[in-house]
Amino acid sequence: MSVDRLFLGLDSSTQGLKATVITEDLTVFYEAAVSYDQDLPQFETNGGVYRDSDGQTVTSPPLMWVGALDLLLEKMNDENVPVSRIAAISGSGQQHGSVWLGQGAESRLRRLDAQTTLALQLEGMFSLERSPIWMDSSTAEQCQNLEHVMGGAQALADLTGSRAYVRFTGNQIAKIHQLQAGVYSNTERICLVSSFMASLLVGDVVPIDASDGSGMNLMDIWLLQWSADALRATAPGLEHKLGPVVPSHSVVGDVHTYYVERYGFSPDCRVIAFSGDNPNSLAGLGLQALGDLAISMGTSDTMFASLEKPKPSGTEGNIFVNPITPGAFMAMIVRQNGSLAREQVRDNVSGGDWDTFNEQLESTPPGNGGKIGMFFLEPEITPPIARTGIYKFDAEDRQVDHFTKAEDVRAIVEGQFLSMRLHAEGIGITPSRLIATGGASINTSILKVISDIFGKNVYVAERADSASLGAAYRARHGLACKEADQFISFATLMDAATPYSEAAVPDRSAHAAYEKIFDRFRRLERLLC
Ligand code: ADP
Ligand code: XUL
């Protein structure tokens, strides 16, 4: 009865947990979402996170992620989703975040009881009640040390795909080992957000996949295994706490009886290794053609592309193992000041309304009359800027205090995507077309600016949630590989996926306006680094 089978993709992101269910022919059957701030208010997060007063430490409670899974599955039951037909599940996690499981956690996971909620059963299981997440920038010291021990930033990048990054899990682990030695020694296992969510479903600690594992500064991206040197430079006994690395298409187990008895899942429902949200977005967009550059505008803004022969940079960007094509890679650039920074400007000058924001954007000329703005409301990843601030320059490069409201709107959007273009070029990405995804990709006024800045067409997928959709595709793909007992090309399965539609085309004179200010932008940005 293969026509009746369904596949579930989850996305455990910064602000919430999403689900996308697809049919065998890749049609979206059902979607749902849980918002941490709204649906789990008892955790008192803001945008899903806690920001410490030091301006650097950013964490989230893993018990909230656990609670969100039950809420989402209850919703699916309430809305009569035929979960018994779900043949496989995969998922995305916000990258780099770590979940610290205390002694006895593995046996607690194995003993899950369908009579009561996950949160009630797993409370107290964590050796760290607040997990460091990707927005954390408190590990500069550990990064310096890792690069030093590994022979410099370029040597570390050549091995792990990235120079040392403050958000990368290995550096977060080193910090906890140094500052909270008791926590470290009481920790039975360390998961990524992705492998943790998969572990909840299987009822056992499951392996980290090679693609999300590339975001830790710990894995040899060529051999797809932990680097003994990087582990040693990070913390003692780490290999055992991390467990093995597996290819992204691996089956990591079947759903635990908890889900069979409580929600009606089939006991044969397989769980395919979860991965990072950006790798899964690449899968969701079916991004394999050279020259296709994805721009994902979720909480962070990211840019990524598939590539075969990467040259990791000791200064910027990240190389990850490709989640869908064995032997291939993906290049990525991340801007922390993405949607949340745009939202802050929208709230300050557009009355909190995207339509007003768009009217203001469209009322100003491309290039903003020479005015350039850089909004670092949070410490920035690309370019690396630790101190927050808003910098505004007039057409003569003089720093000024004020723009008009409409100029502010144009300045933030232009500043964000001029910087993206600059750094994409920095890691050798020259796109022939752009594919936009993530929450802000429904905003065509923003897409128009992006198209003009790059001078390329912008396309959008039918669904903005490419991370949960990509996870559903990977569930389908992982099961197909398992059933064939060999690797099957992802592309052959994707034939049925909906192609992109054109959302913006560049205007020649607007593009020329950006060409004119590009070098100025580069120079001004460099002054701030
Ligand atoms: P994540 O997966 O990181 O939680 P999403 O991909 O769901 O994030 O994107 C959420 C973001 O989308 C919100 O923070 C919001 O700023 C942005 N967004 C939603 N609608 C619009 C819009 N019309 N214009 C611009 N941005 C939008
Ligand atoms: C990627 C990164 C962010 C998170 C957001 O390196 O830090 O895009 O994955 O969920």
Side-chain angles (χ1 to χ4, degrees):
M1 293 275 286
S2 69
V3 283
D4 288 325
R5 297 195 308 182
L6 299 173
F7 301 87
L8 168 62
L10 298 174
D11 177 17
S12 179
S13 79
T14 318
Q15 303 190 52
L17 178 68
K18 298 176 203 157
T20 301
V21 177
I22 59 167
T23 59
E24 191 97 29
D25 67 1
L26 311 185
T27 307
V28 174
F29 179 86
Y30 173 82
E31 286 177 303
V34 164
S35 152
Y36 301 136
D37 292 0
Q38 277 153 36
D39 300 320
L40 291 141
Q42 65 273 32
F43 290 97
E44 299 182 343
T45 55
N46 187 353
V49 309
Y50 302 126
R51 289 180 175 79
D52 278 19
S53 53
D54 65 6
Q56 297 186 326
T57 307
V58 186
T59 57
S60 293
L63 196 63
M64 176 178 77
W65 299 330
V66 171
L69 181 59
D70 265 334
L71 276 188
L72 194 67
L73 297 177
E74 275 164 26
K75 206 169 188 168
M76 289 174 72
N77 268 185
D78 290 348
E79 293 174 6
N80 297 319
V81 178
V83 295
S84 62
R85 284 167 47 198
I86 295 175
I89 308 176
S90 188
S92 305
Q94 50 171 308
Q95 297 196 258
H96 320 294
S98 46
V99 181
W100 295 63
L101 303 182
Q103 301 299 339
E106 284 173 294
S107 62
R108 282 175 77 167
L109 279 170
R110 289 182 195 131
R111 285 198 313 265
L112 288 175
D113 171 3
Q115 298 311 312
T116 177
T117 64
L118 291 170
L120 282 173
Q121 295 178 76
L122 300 182
E123 195 171 4
M125 174 178 74
F126 304 100
S127 50
L128 208 54
E129 300 290 347
R130 295 187 173 198
S131 284
I133 66 148
W134 67 275
M135 295 166 101
D136 186 285
S137 60
S138 65
T139 65
E141 214 175 286
Q142 288 73 25
C143 286
Q144 245 182 2
N145 178 59
L146 182 68
E147 288 183 351
H148 175 72
V149 175
M150 300 297 287
Q154 186 62 53
L156 181 64
D158 287 340
L159 179 73
T160 69
S162 302
R163 66 164 168 82
Y165 278 93
V166 285
R167 69 191 190 289
F168 273 39
T169 326
N171 306 309
Q172 296 289 341
I173 292 173
K175 178 184 135 188
I176 287 159
H177 168 248
Q178 286 159 25
L179 301 185
Q180 293 171 273
V183 166
Y184 186 79
S185 61
N186 283 333
T187 297
E188 187 171 80
R189 298 294 299 267
I190 301 173
C191 302
L192 291 179
V193 177
S194 56
S195 66
F196 173 66
M197 295 306 289
S199 301
L200 284 181
L201 287 169
V202 172
D204 205 348
V205 178
V206 305
I208 289 172
D209 85 298
S211 195
D212 211 16
S214 319
M216 302 173 79
N217 276 146
L218 293 177
M219 197 188 81
D220 180 326
I221 58 164
W222 312 101
L223 299 178
L224 311 189
Q225 59 192 34
W226 304 123
S227 149
D229 290 343
L231 290 184
R232 205 173 311 115
T234 299
L238 189 50
E239 186 161 14
H240 182 69
K241 294 190 200 288
L242 292 176
V245 180
V246 293
S248 307
H249 64 272
S250 310
V251 172
V252 292
D254 294 342
V255 288
H256 190 274
T257 50
Y258 176 84
Y259 303 91
V260 178
E261 290 169 14
R262 193 172 173 95
Y263 295 109
F265 278 83
S266 157
D268 298 326
C269 175
R270 308 274 196 192
V271 180
I272 312 300
F274 280 32
S275 190
D277 50 0
N278 292 294
N280 277 341
S281 281
L282 180 134
L285 297 171
L287 216 65
Q288 288 175 321
L290 292 175
D292 276 356
L293 176 61
I295 300 192
S296 168
M297 296 176 281
T299 307
S300 58
D301 284 345
T302 65
M303 256 191 178
F304 47 82
S306 276
L307 76 177
E308 273 163 13
K309 294 193 177 70
K311 288 201 198 81
S313 159
T315 51
E316 62 185 352
N318 312 114
I319 301 294
F320 294 152
V321 168
N322 193 297
I324 47 179
T325 311
F329 297 86
M330 64 182 274
M332 188 173 77
I333 288 204
V334 181
R335 278 185 64 88
Q336 180 153 339
N337 289 281
S339 280
L340 297 184
R342 285 188 291 276
E343 272 176 33
Q344 198 160 320
V345 170
R346 178 203 64 185
D347 293 346
N348 290 344
V349 305
S350 318
D353 177 40
W354 286 121
D355 288 337
T356 310
F357 182 95
N358 293 346
E359 278 163 26
Q360 290 166 316
L361 182 59
E362 285 166 20
S363 72
T364 45
N368 220 4
K371 295 182 173 138
I372 289 176
M374 299 182 199
F375 294 68
F376 300 114
L377 306 176
E378 307 256 4
E380 186 47 76
I381 295 167
T382 313
I385 292 185
R387 60 182 189 288
T388 55
I390 296 175
Y391 304 91
K392 301 181 184 180
F393 301 93
D394 68 12
E396 273 75 49
D397 293 352
R398 283 180 302 237
Q399 213 168 326
V400 295
D401 289 335
H402 296 290
F403 287 166
T404 65
K405 289 181 175 179
E407 285 169 349
D408 262 343
V409 168
R410 183 161 280 276
I412 186 166
V413 177
E414 290 187 345
Q416 288 175 321
F417 294 101
L418 282 165
S419 181
M420 275 289 198
R421 180 179 148 190
L422 181 65
H423 296 284
E425 285 180 13
I427 59 164
I429 298 180
T430 40
S432 47
R433 62 173 185 168
L434 306 170
I435 295 137
T437 182
S441 67
I442 58 168
N443 187 321
T444 46
S445 307
I446 294 177
L447 298 185
K448 178 73 176 87
V449 175
I450 297 175
S451 176
D452 288 338
I453 286 178
F454 282 82
K456 303 290 176 208
N457 288 10
V458 176
Y459 297 81
V460 286
E462 197 188 344
R463 312 261 162 186
D465 289 332
S466 56
S468 56
L469 181 64
Y473 288 168
R474 287 211 315 99
R476 163 95 173 74
H477 177 238
L479 189 62
C481 296
K482 175 77 182 169
E483 285 170 346
D485 208 15
Q486 61 177 337
F487 184 81
I488 292 178
S489 140
F490 187 81
T492 55
L493 288 182
M494 288 293 291
D495 283 350
T498 323
Y500 323 117
S501 55
E502 193 176 84
V505 290
D507 175 277
R508 199 183 288 223
S509 66
H511 182 55
Y514 293 119
E515 291 298 279
K516 226 167 117 191
I517 59 171
F518 197 57
D519 284 337
R520 275 185 61 219
F521 183 86
R522 184 198 318 264
R523 188 161 35 79
L524 291 171
E525 192 189 87
R526 225 174 252 159
L527 284 179
L528 301 179
C529 295

